[in-house]
Structure formats: C-alpha cells, structure tokens
Amino acid sequence: MRTRPMTRRLMAAGGVLALSAGILTATSTQAAAQDEDDVDRLLVATDQEVDTFNPFKSRYVITYNTNMMTYDTLIRTGADDYQPVPGLATEWEESDDGLTWTFTVREGVTWSDGEPLTAEDVAYTYDLLISNPAIHDWNIDFAGNLVSAEAPDETTFVLTLKEAAPAEILNAGVFIVPKHVWETYPDPSADDANDQLPLVGSGPFQVSEYRTDEFVRLSANKDYWDGAPAFDEVVYDYYSEGDAAVAALEAGEVDIVNGLNPAQAEALGEQDHITVNNAQGRRFVSLILNHGAQTADRELYGDGHPALRDPVVRQALHTAIDKQELVDKVLAGNGDPAVSIIPAIFEQWHWDGGDELVQFSLDEANRMLDEAGYERGEDGVRTMPGGGERLSFRFYYHADNTDYANVVEYVTEWWSEIGIETVPEPIEQGSLNDLVYLGEYDIAFSGWGVGPNPTEMLAMHTCAVLPTTTDGSERSHENFYCNEEYDALHAQQMVEPDPDARAELVKEQQRILYEDAPVIWLYYQNVLEAYNHDKVTDLRTQPAEGGMITGQQGFAWAYLSATPVEGSGDEGGVSTGVLIGAGAVVVVLIAGGVLLFMRRRSTADERE
C-alpha cells in the first residue's frame, strides 16, 4: 500500500552507526549515582516529570507510582488477582444499610519521621476529601458521596456515606497522609503543598530527592510495617526517549525499562543479562475528537472543527480505521483491538461490543458521509453540508512515540480515502495535553491506565467534571463529554450492590460512549518491559499469572519484593556481555532512528 515508516527510519538511522560505540557509555549522566559503594539502588527509566507531589491532585504515571510507594491506603489492590486485600486496615465492616463502614487501623505503624500513625490520620485524610472544596471537587466522583470521617479511638476509623457504594469504598485507593504534617499547610489543595523533601509517608519508600529533568529518588523505609525493602533506593532516572533508555539498560546504567516497542523488545531478548516481560495490559490507546469543548455552564470554547460535533462524522472516522491491522503492523501483534474504555483484562466490566461492533469498511464510511451531505470538493476533500468548511482536521500526536507516528500514517491514508484531510503534527506531550484541555485541537492521541474499579475512568466522561473555566487548568475530564443518560447510569452503578447488575450498568455506559464516539479506542497494548536480571530478582508481578511489573495498580508489589542479586553492586557503565551485545544496541538504534542520546525536559504523560 505504501513504504512503511519503519523503512524510512532504518535508512535515516544509518548515519549513527559510527557514533554508537562512543555513545554507549555516555547515555546517562548517572544523576542517581552516589559515592558510597554499599547502596543497593534500583534504577528505573522514565521520561516524565512530576506534575505535583500533592497526592490529592496528581494524575501522571510517575506521580501515581511514587505515591504508591510513599503512602499506604486502607485497602490495597491485591497482587494476585486485583481483589481488595488489607493495607493499613486489618479488617473492615459494612453496616446493614451500607452507609457506615468501620475500619480497624493497624497498630504499630509509624510515619517515616518516627511519629505514630493512628486512625486520626486516616480521619483527617478522608475529611480533606469532604471539607476542602478544591480537594473535594478534584475527587468529586468519590468524595461527593462522603458524609463524615471520624476516629473514635486510635485504631478505629468510621466512614459515613450518603448512599451505599461498597465497590467504591473497597477500591478507593485514598493515600493516607500524616495529619501532623499536613495540618501545617495553609492550603492542602495547593500544588506547592507537600513540596518539602523528604516527604513524610508510611509506605515502603519515601521521595527523598527530586531534580527536574534528571531523577526522582526514593529512599527505603527500613521500619516499614510490612517488612523493609531489600533495595536501599528506587530511582526514576530520566531519558530522552525509549531508545536511549534501552541502550542504558543494555549498558547496565538502568535496571528496568518499560514502554518498549516490538523491535526494542526483540533486541533486548537476545541479551544474556536481560529478561523481557510481555504481559496483557490494563491500558488503552485512543484518539480523542474535539466534539465541542465546553464548560459546566455549556459555554463552548476552543477552536475545534465544527464537523466533529456531528456524531455521523465521528462514527465515519471510526468505521474507517482497521484496528486489527494497527495491532498486527504497529504492535507486531502485542495487543488487542480496543472496543471500549475498560480493557479486556477486567473481564467482569469489559463491554465487548457484540453485534454492535463497528466493522472496518471504507465503503460504509463513505456512504455515511454521502448521506449526511458532506460532498467532495474538486480536490477530493469533503466540505460541510451546503458547501461550507473543508473537512481538514489537525491531527496531534506525541512527538516521542514512534508507535503513534506509525498509527498516524495508516489512519491518515484510510481517512483520505473517505474524503477527510488530516494535518499530522508531532507535539511534545505536555504541550499536547495543554492544547487538549484548552480545546485547541481537532484529533489527538490519548492513553490511560485503568484500574479494577471502573468508576474513575467512567467518571471522566460525566457532566460533573466539566471545567468551570476556559483556561485549561481543570483536568478531571477526558474531552468535555456530557450525556444525561450516561450520567444517570453512572450514578446508579456507583451504588449498585449486586456485582452482576452493576456490570450491566457499566457495560451500558460503555455502549453509549461507543455509539456517540467522542473517543475512538484503538487498541489495548501489551506491557512490554525488561529488566537486568544480573542486578535484580524477585520482582512480583500483578496479576500473579502473566502479570506486569511496572504498570501495577493500588500498591507497588514489585518494588517491595525486589531483591538485589548478590555481588551485582550498583555501578553504572558497561555490564557483562554488553560488548558482545553491542550489535543488538545498533539494531535498536536503527529501529528507533535515534540520532543522539540526550536528556530532555519531559513534562507530560499519557494521562494514566
């Protein structure tokens, strides 16, 4: 059909071969390295900056991960099967009417500064969700159902609800913060609250140092109630892009890398000191369509193309995407075509489309647009009914994601065959997210990690989270969707006690989103990750069978269980076997088209 983009990158990368040998030992500044030789340090590659250390407001993957290690929750998401298991709460009891929950708080737990953790800290944390307006609004889907949070004694916490919602309580994942620290902040909802390092928490690790563009260091809590971590530190080290991190893993400069593409995973799999993990993911990749940016008062803003407000246009775009080909060609089969917002890994909640599933058909997409009055102009591009604006859409994608660039080439060609013109533009992730929340886009990539409780993801498409301003600062929504029927189902599923009945409500919400098509879910991507087994072992996966290491939910099981390999040390530089593996590094360089290994400022995520 056309020369694949990978071929062009292979040719473009040829010029870097002579540079590769000299670059290998200079890929990392080793910002995390210390002079002492007796520190067991687990180095994890990342390309994200911290959005905020305030756990009530953070949204990025990197801050979710650091929050999981810094703070405990009452109830954890289990490693084996995503089911709720005890955390700070050793047991809990629900009243007959479902409105009162009583938790027994674990005794003998201390904060990292040595102060005792009691039920009063838990009550303080939950009360912030109730009484602090900004924190309440930021977490409205959960906080809106809370009435009171009390601690009658040091080991008892009582939570009262407006309506029974057992699934929400068991899967809330509220990070418990220390009252004696947080009550000193003038405004606990501010971004600059909780910015004094080291952070005070009760988790297995504590954020002890952060350097923008360089690293986040977490130091082990040796007094952790669930057993001291075996590593002294976990350090998230920043790399410019995936290929740089891959080369650093091969050179022994980092220990864990995730977000691999198939070529990288294949090359790493040939290295004697590296284990590649390919696991079913809990993550989707999607295209969000600007169907009309709006405030909570229904004020339209932004500059989205008016044609995208028409569901027929959105559905035609959806019909003209062959998701299976994207999985086969872009992901090399490491994933599944996406149908809805809840990935197939959560089978109980996942809506599979059934007979309503859109089938790829350029003929059908053309028919839909013809019947809706979108006629082709002389240049083959359709116009709005009545001869108005051309259907030419800006198509934004993350500049550092080669998979997205490949998707763009496929989709752009398919859409051109139905009379839709796209103008692709690679944009740095943070800037892209800014444009989305300002409503200044037509079509853009997005992606989220989904947890075992569907409410949080579904809530991002409710009217309740629409912004109150037009400055792009309110980011609880996905892309301005609002549907009263959807909202009614959402409110009902949150308080439905019967799991099977609740699942049907959740699936109906997904069906409505699928039909309205404010978002086109492309695929559920497998987790492709790798680690240096000469440095680290005993990485506990979630779920237990065929699970992931780096994309865990509810608790950082892998990093608590991780154990240094005896005699591995923590030195950077070239590791055993890397000289033999240099050819594979070159393969990775060619596959990704990397010209230089440089650190860069990376201010965004894929909004997990």
Side-chain angles (χ1 to χ4, degrees), residues 118-134:
T118 70
E120 192 172 345
D121 295 296
V122 181
Y124 172 81
T125 300
Y126 276 79
D127 187 65
L128 284 176
L129 293 167
I130 298 170
S131 61
N132 184 289

Side-chain angles (χ1 to χ4, degrees), residues 47-51 60 62 210 212-213 238 601-604:
D47 65 353
Q48 291 185 320
E49 287 183 8
V50 172
D51 53 340
Y60 288 4
I62 184 68
Y210 171 53
T212 304
D213 308 331
Y238 286 74
R601 182 176 183 271
S602 176
T603 58

Side-chain angles (χ1 to χ4, degrees), residues 172-232:
V174 175
F175 296 115
I176 305 303
V177 300
K179 178 182 178 181
H180 68 281
V181 173
W182 279 74
E183 65 184 358
T184 66
Y185 301 147
D187 180 7
S189 70
D191 283 329
D192 60 357
N194 201 41
D195 62 357
Q196 297 298 312
L197 302 181
L199 299 182
V200 177
S202 65
F205 293 91
Q206 308 298 308
V207 176
S208 56
E209 188 178 4
Y210 171 53
R211 296 184 189 176
T212 304
D213 308 331
E214 295 184 35
F215 65 89
V216 183
R217 186 192 313 281
L218 295 99
S219 299
N221 179 358
K222 296 301 184 181
D223 296 321
Y224 187 51
W225 60 266
D226 200 18
F231 275 94
D232 299 311

Side-chain angles (χ1 to χ4, degrees), residues 2 8 287 391-399 401 403-416 420-428 432 435 441-445:
R2 61 193 180 287
R8 289 194 289 278
L287 299 178
L391 268 61
S392 179
F393 303 142
R394 294 163 295 177
F395 194 178
Y396 296 155
Y397 63 99
H398 301 126
N401 193 309
D403 285 349
Y404 290 3
N406 288 339
V407 169
V408 165
E409 291 216 8
Y410 279 104
V411 171
T412 294
E413 181 167 317
W414 289 325
W415 286 348
S416 71
I420 303 292
E421 180 181 77
T422 55
V423 183
E425 182 177 349
I427 299 179
E428 190 273 332
L432 190 156
L435 291 171
Y441 75 102
D442 295 322
I443 302 170
F445 275 82

Side-chain angles (χ1 to χ4, degrees), residues 34 113 165 175 179 186 302 313 401 447 450 470-471 482 493 498 515:
Q34 300 290 311
D113 62 0
F175 296 115
K179 178 182 178 181
V313 174
N401 193 309
V450 181
T470 61
D471 63 4
C482 178
Q493 68 87 13
D498 180 78
E515 183 176 297

